[in-house]
């Protein structure tokens, strides 16, 4: 079986700068990075692309574009314009995936919110295809992600992408946001052909309100079984570790990254090599 790529999400190391992220993640021997768009833009897109190349880091995704329902105060046209710009930034970064959030349902009916999102995706997909970028929608638990999206389950996301029927439209499966879904492992196995990215975090309970993500292996999510299930079902994409919450904010990021790498390599049966020194 192909060795799976591990990536650290820049939200995990929220206090660090873009440059520090690149230096320390590379030093820990992590091959991938999920780029947070605000950090990238603050640093400079062109500079960021060159820096990641210098450190040998593979950008697995760029987050995020969206808000097409107007829930964040932008008009549909503004959100769409920004989404098209995000595709160009992902291409410049050579990140194969752009995460796209619909925005909350807000005051819309569910059907109207879906029409807005589908309309935006329909306009973005030809540009994504031109640049070789996959757009990836992310379902979120209604008690924690309602301000981001009206997609509340894997089945919601699958239904949406099947309607648009594009090989450039996929799903981000964040197991933290999917905590509590019935038969989660079986659902993930069936969803594998639609997955662009699997995000890992641990937790003691389903999310409510502010994120309370835990280091891998310290909560109740069956992460080893999840990783094994999607890999055995043919998933060959990256595993992106996105950790947030009070425990994470107060942690030593270097130790957290080292623990993440050790847990993941043990879960997939990979040999753990010594970290390489930072440049």
């Amino acid at each position: 079986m192909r060795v799976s790529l591990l990536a650290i999400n820049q939200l995990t190391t929220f206090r660090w700068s873009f440059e520090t992220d690149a230096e320390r993640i590379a030093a820990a021997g992590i091959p991938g990075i999920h780029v947070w768009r605000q950090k990238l833009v603050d640093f400079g897109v062109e500079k960021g692309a060159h820096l990641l190349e210098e450190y040998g880091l593979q950008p697995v995704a760029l987050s995020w574009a969206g808000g097409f329902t107007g829930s964040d105060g932008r008009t549909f046209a503004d959100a769409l314009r920004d989404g098209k710009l995000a595709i160009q930034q992902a291409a410049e970064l050579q990140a194969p995936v752009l995460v796209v959030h619909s925005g909350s349902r807000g005051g819309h009916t569910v059907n109207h919110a879906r029409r807005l999102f589908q309309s935006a995706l329909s306009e973005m997909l030809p540009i994504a295809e031109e640049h070789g970028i996959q757009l990836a929608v992310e379902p979120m638990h209604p008690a924690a992600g309602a301000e981001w999206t009206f997609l509340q389950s894997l089945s919601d996301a699958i239904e949406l992408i099947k309607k648009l029927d594009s090989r450039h439209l996929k799903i981000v499966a964040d197991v933290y946001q999917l905590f509590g879904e019935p038969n989660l492992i079986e659902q993930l196995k069936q969803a594998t052909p639609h997955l662009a990215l699997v995000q890992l975090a641990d937790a003691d309970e389903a999310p409510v309100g502010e994120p309370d993500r835990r280091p891998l292996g310290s909560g109740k999510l069956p992460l080893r079984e999840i990783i094994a299930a999607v890999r055995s079902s043919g998933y060959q994409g990256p595993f992106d570790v996105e950790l947030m919450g009070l425990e994470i904010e107060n942690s030593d990021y270097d130790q957290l990254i080292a623990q993440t790498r050790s847990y993941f390599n043990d879960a997939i049966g990979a040999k753990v090599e010594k970290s390489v020194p930072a440049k």
Side-chain angles (χ1 to χ4, degrees):
M1 185 179 290
R2 175 182 170 182
V3 175
S4 298
L5 181 71
L6 175 64
I8 298 294
N9 193 299
Q10 285 189 303
L11 279 181
T12 299
T13 53
F14 184 78
R15 299 192 312 269
W16 282 354
S17 67
F18 189 95
E19 190 168 13
T20 302
D21 283 340
E23 177 187 355
R24 302 310 306 157
I25 291 171
I30 305 289
I33 183 170
H34 184 148
V35 176
W36 194 249
R37 203 167 157 216
Q38 189 60 59
K39 282 190 179 186
L40 175 67
V41 171
D42 288 346
F43 185 72
V45 178
E46 184 177 357
K47 282 174 56 184
H50 288 315
L51 186 69
L52 297 187
E53 185 177 2
E54 176 187 346
Y55 280 105
L57 284 172
Q58 180 176 334
V60 300
L62 176 66
S63 283
W64 56 279
F68 304 110
T69 59
S71 58
D72 60 359
R74 291 182 297 174
T75 66
F76 177 84
D78 286 341
L80 182 57
R81 190 178 304 112
D82 181 68
K84 292 176 179 178
L85 173 62
I87 293 172
Q88 295 171 357
Q89 292 170 338
E92 186 171 353
L93 194 64
Q94 297 185 47
V97 174
L98 172 66
V99 178
V100 182
H101 298 299
S102 64
S104 73
R105 175 185 163 188
H108 304 297
T109 65
V110 173
N111 285 339
H112 184 55
R114 286 183 180 275
R115 282 195 294 270
L116 287 171
F117 195 24
Q118 288 174 20
S119 178
L121 291 170
S122 294
E123 289 203 44
M124 291 172 65
L125 279 166
I127 302 170
E129 183 171 359
E130 178 186 346
H131 289 283
I133 303 297
Q134 287 188 332
L135 306 182
V137 300
E138 180 179 357
M140 294 186 176
H141 195 285
E147 66 185 86
W148 291 90
T149 182
F150 54 79
L151 299 175
Q152 299 181 352
S153 66
L154 274 173
S155 60
D156 283 348
I158 291 172
E159 180 184 0
L160 174 71
I161 66 172
K162 282 185 174 179
K163 284 183 178 179
L164 290 167
D165 190 26
S166 169
R167 61 189 180 89
H168 286 270
L169 184 60
K170 298 285 187 177
I171 295 171
V172 177
D174 181 342
V175 300
Y176 173 80
Q177 293 289 352
L178 299 175
F179 195 126
E181 280 218 22
N183 303 313
L184 176 57
I185 291 176
E186 188 58 35
Q187 282 202 63
L188 285 168
K189 289 169 68 175
Q190 293 178 5
T192 294
H194 306 294
L195 300 182
L197 187 66
V198 174
Q199 291 187 313
L200 301 177
D202 218 331
D204 286 332
E205 59 185 3
V208 178
E210 291 298 315
D212 187 21
R213 298 171 183 246
R214 304 295 174 86
L216 305 190
S218 65
K220 297 178 180 178
L221 273 164
L223 296 179
R224 291 176 184 271
E225 292 85 350
I226 287 170
I227 293 168
V230 294
R231 293 181 79 220
S232 67
S233 299
Y235 177 72
Q236 296 185 345
F239 289 88
D240 168 43
V241 178
E242 182 182 297
L243 304 177
M244 294 177 285
L246 187 60
E247 178 180 347
I248 303 303
E249 290 171 9
N250 294 327
S251 68
D252 180 305
Y253 287 165
D254 286 311
Q255 291 182 6
L256 181 64
I257 291 171
Q259 184 273 336
T260 296
R261 179 172 179 261
S262 178
Y263 179 93
F264 181 78
N265 283 337
D266 183 60
I268 66 170
K271 181 180 179 181
V272 179
E273 299 175 356
K274 292 184 180 179
S275 301
V276 296
K279 293 188 179 182

